[in-house]
Amino acid sequence: MSPDKNLLSKLAAGDKHGEDSPYFDGWKAYDNNPFHPTHNPQGVIQMGLAENQLCSDLIKEWIKANPHASICTADGVDSFSDIAVFQDYHGLKQFRQAIAAFMGRARGGRASFEAERVVMSGGATGANETLMFSLADPGDAFLVPTPYYAAFDRDLRWRTGVKIIPVECNSSNNFQVTKQALESTYLKFQETGIKIKGLILANPSNPLGTTLDRETLETIVSFINDKQIHLVCDEIYAATAFAEPRFTSVAEIIRDMDHVNRDLIHIVYSLSKDMGLPGFRVGVVYSYNDAVVSCARRMSSFGLVSSQTQSFLAAMLSDQRFVDSFLVEVSKRVAKRHRMFTEGLKEMGISCLRSNAGLFVLMDLRQMLKDQTFESEMALWRVIINKVKINVSPGSSFHCSEPGWFRVCFANMDEDTLRIGLERIKDFVLGERDNKNCNNKKENKKRKSFQKNLKLSFSSMMYDEHVRSPRLMSPHSPLLRT
């Protein structure tokens, strides 16, 4: 029985949570029938989860070599009482210092961060929501270039009441955001009376897997500075960049630009993607605005990182030799896996948007659509989920402006599973092409048969006409010449 909605709040009874989306439906399909190489080899392969499982072996090795880092070992148990007691919501000082240093290293040492501005949160999800609560009131809006992370609809809007205004980008320039698109969208919605409080973007992009170049970032910073609206940069994939152009943080940009109101600049970070630790729920709000830092710190009491996790990570992230080696290896392994997957697709004649970061690619299946509509995209997605048994995410769930693009994740599984996924895609694509060729042959055969019958019918009509009324035939008719 469904609960009486009169007993619930509007928030609980409403449908604005943003989870009525194929992005989440694909996860449910996987949960109901998860692939396992031996126990369930015909199950759904999860290629819709942007998770980094490529370097967990390095972390395991560090843990074995540093048992004192955990209060749950004989070597570290002496610190148990100090860590298990109540901790201020500012977080452990050594943890905030280690996070600030790691953020700098993950950006190649080209930017520096202050520990005093690091605010903890329950993952990047909590960090983004905290910033929305801090920067906007219900009904206010933020611009977001498309395509954008599907869960932004939930993370940014559901509890805060903030609106998202998509800034439409398209494949003609690889979905790069332009000043013209920002200006026109801003003016259009400002005229409607909606209060636009800022711009949110993910760099590196999810789902594009691309990084913003310095010129584009400077244009964006100038735009928000001119409008005096906020800029929130989600940089959770910073260390996954593996090819040129290298990742550039907004922290580098504002350091080198004059006359920028730093109170408008905010960064979201986490250890979920770069280090592959989403279960630790370590998110970071980093703001250049003192009032936002203060407000976010008060709000952090609703989503703290456990002191045990802080203590462990402080020890690991303070090991500079390990961190530097780890970051180099992450980039190498992501590059290798990206190359393996995209080359496998290329052999089937499938292309992807050119990318240089992230744990996924944007696969181009526009040629496989029945027609260029989002209805056809959803029909194809259902076949991929239910028949091919692979969970990929359709572009429409990321508010992509064009049908036929699908985000596919490649770093949340071992190589054997990835190869099985590629084989399934190959069998499906080749099967579809065979069916298309077969249908084309049938159509050609029908067309030739029709044309042959048409000629026969025409000849018969001419013969009948000749028999009945030879006077009406042209003197140039081949029948007369015969």
Side-chain angles (χ1 to χ4, degrees):
M1 294 179 62
S2 59
D4 186 349
K5 291 189 175 181
N6 292 324
L7 298 176
L8 304 176
S9 68
K10 291 180 180 179
L11 183 72
D15 59 356
K16 295 183 179 180
H17 45 71
E19 292 190 3
D20 293 333
S21 161
Y23 176 76
F24 292 105
D25 289 342
W27 286 18
K28 295 169 188 174
Y30 168 77
D31 288 340
N32 292 333
N33 184 25
F35 169 83
H36 188 277
T38 54
H39 302 313
N40 190 23
Q42 303 306 316
V44 176
I45 295 177
Q46 174 62 291
M47 302 185 85
L49 177 62
E51 190 172 71
N52 183 0
Q53 296 183 15
L54 302 180
C55 294
S56 58
D57 60 309
L58 302 179
I59 296 177
K60 291 177 184 177
E61 290 172 6
W62 187 89
I63 292 172
K64 291 176 182 177
N66 298 271
H68 63 278
S70 172
I71 61 174
C72 296
T73 65
D75 296 82
V77 72
D78 289 344
S79 300
F80 178 84
S81 296
D82 294 331
I83 299 301
V85 296
F86 173 79
Q87 302 292 337
D88 188 271
Y89 52 58
H90 286 69
L92 299 177
K93 183 177 181 180
Q94 63 267 33
F95 172 69
R96 288 185 287 111
Q97 290 173 335
I99 285 287
F102 181 79
M103 288 176 66
R105 282 187 164 77
R107 289 151 181 78
R110 296 180 297 273
S112 59
F113 299 88
E114 303 171 25
E116 291 72 21
R117 295 193 176 279
V118 171
V119 181
M120 294 182 302
S121 182
T125 295
N128 275 310
E129 187 186 54
T130 295
L131 278 173
M132 292 301 99
F133 275 125
S134 301
L135 303 178
D137 294 315
D140 292 345
F142 271 77
L143 304 174
V144 188
T146 66
Y148 61 78
Y149 173 47
F152 271 174
D153 290 331
R154 176 197 64 191
D155 301 351
L156 306 178
R157 301 188 313 172
W158 184 30
R159 299 198 299 182
T160 65
V162 170
K163 297 178 180 179
I164 289 179
I165 297 176
V167 178
E168 188 171 304
C169 307
N170 55 65
S171 63
S172 63
N173 67 343
N174 292 328
F175 297 101
Q176 293 180 24
V177 63
T178 64
K179 183 178 180 180
Q180 181 181 0
L182 290 171
E183 290 282 0
S184 61
T185 305
Y186 178 85
L187 292 174
K188 175 183 176 182
F189 283 89
Q190 190 182 48
E191 289 172 357
T192 66
I194 295 176
K195 190 174 184 179
I196 299 174
K197 293 301 293 286
L199 168 67
I200 300 174
L201 53 85
N203 180 36
S205 168
N206 177 7
L208 301 178
T210 56
T211 56
L212 293 173
D213 59 47
R214 175 174 286 272
E215 183 180 355
T216 300
L217 278 168
E218 289 174 350
T219 298
I220 289 170
V221 170
S222 295
F223 170 79
I224 65 98
N225 198 57
D226 291 342
K227 308 298 183 189
Q228 284 297 289
I229 59 176
H230 295 281
L231 174 62
V232 177
C233 286
D234 185 327
E235 298 185 350
I236 65 175
Y237 291 96
T240 66
F242 56 85
E244 293 294 331
R246 67 168 177 79
F247 169 71
T248 301
S249 172
V250 70
E252 296 177 56
I253 300 300
I254 63 172
R255 180 196 62 202
D256 300 334
M257 287 182 70
D258 296 326
H259 311 299
V260 174
N261 183 357
R262 293 193 171 201
D263 283 347
L264 301 174
I265 309 297
H266 321 276
I267 297 173
V268 169
Y269 191 58
S270 83
L271 301 183
S272 298
K273 310 304 181 181
D274 286 352
M275 294 208 70
L277 300 174
F280 280 23
R281 308 309 303 147
V282 178
V284 172
V285 172
Y286 190 91
S287 176
Y288 292 89
N289 186 315
D290 292 342
V292 171
V293 170
S294 179
C295 177
R297 187 157 284 145
R298 295 188 187 104
M299 288 187 176
S300 70
S301 60
F302 296 102
L304 290 174
V305 179
S306 77
S307 54
Q308 179 184 358
T309 301
Q310 291 184 57
S311 176
F312 167 75
L313 289 174
M316 185 168 66
L317 297 182
S318 297
D319 186 338
Q320 296 181 14
R321 182 178 297 178
F322 167 76
V323 168
D324 290 342
S325 174
F326 182 89
L327 291 173
V328 169
E329 198 62 28
V330 165
S331 182
K332 285 182 180 178
R333 295 188 186 187
V334 172
K336 179 183 176 183
R337 185 60 68 87
H338 177 275
R339 183 168 57 252
M340 173 185 173
F341 188 63
T342 54
E343 288 181 355
L345 291 177
K346 189 175 181 180
E347 290 175 1
M348 309 171 206
I350 297 177
S351 62
C352 300
L353 187 78
R354 185 177 180 181
S355 57
N356 65 316
L359 309 171
F360 35 74
V361 294
L362 200 62
M363 182 170 63
D364 184 0
L365 296 184
R366 288 177 292 180
Q367 76 279 7
M368 297 188 68
L369 298 183
K370 183 178 179 181
D371 51 56
Q372 296 300 307
T373 64
F374 287 107
E375 289 76 14
S376 290
E377 177 182 276
M378 290 305 299
L380 178 58
W381 174 75
R382 292 187 189 96
V383 172
I384 295 173
I385 285 283
N386 298 320
K387 299 295 177 65
V388 186
K389 299 293 182 66
I390 291 178
N391 175 31
V392 299
S393 305
S396 54
S397 64
F398 299 94
H399 299 269
C400 187
S401 60
E402 304 169 9
W405 296 91
F406 293 79
R407 192 196 73 167
V408 192
C409 302
F410 55 71
N412 62 319
M413 66 198 79
D414 57 36
E415 287 191 5
D416 290 339
T417 303
L418 187 70
R419 289 190 181 95
I420 294 171
L422 281 169
E423 281 300 316
R424 289 187 182 184
I425 296 173
K426 181 179 180 180
D427 291 343
F428 169 64
V429 170
L430 295 181
E432 286 293 300
R433 286 176 184 163
D434 288 344
N435 290 337
K436 189 174 182 179
N437 291 336
C438 183
N439 290 334
N440 287 340
K441 288 180 181 179
K442 288 180 179 178
E443 286 297 320
N444 289 336
K445 189 174 181 180
K446 286 181 181 179
R447 191 177 297 108
K448 289 179 180 179
S449 176
F450 173 76
Q451 290 171 346
K452 182 177 180 181
N453 291 335
L454 186 64
K455 288 179 180 178
L456 289 173
S457 297
F458 180 73
S459 297
S460 176
M461 288 172 60
M462 292 294 288
Y463 177 75
D464 289 344
E465 197 66 31
H466 166 67
V467 171
R468 290 197 302 271
S469 183
R471 300 186 310 275
L472 299 177
M473 297 191 68
S474 165
H476 305 292
S477 170
L479 287 175
L480 287 179
R481 287 199 297 270
T482 302

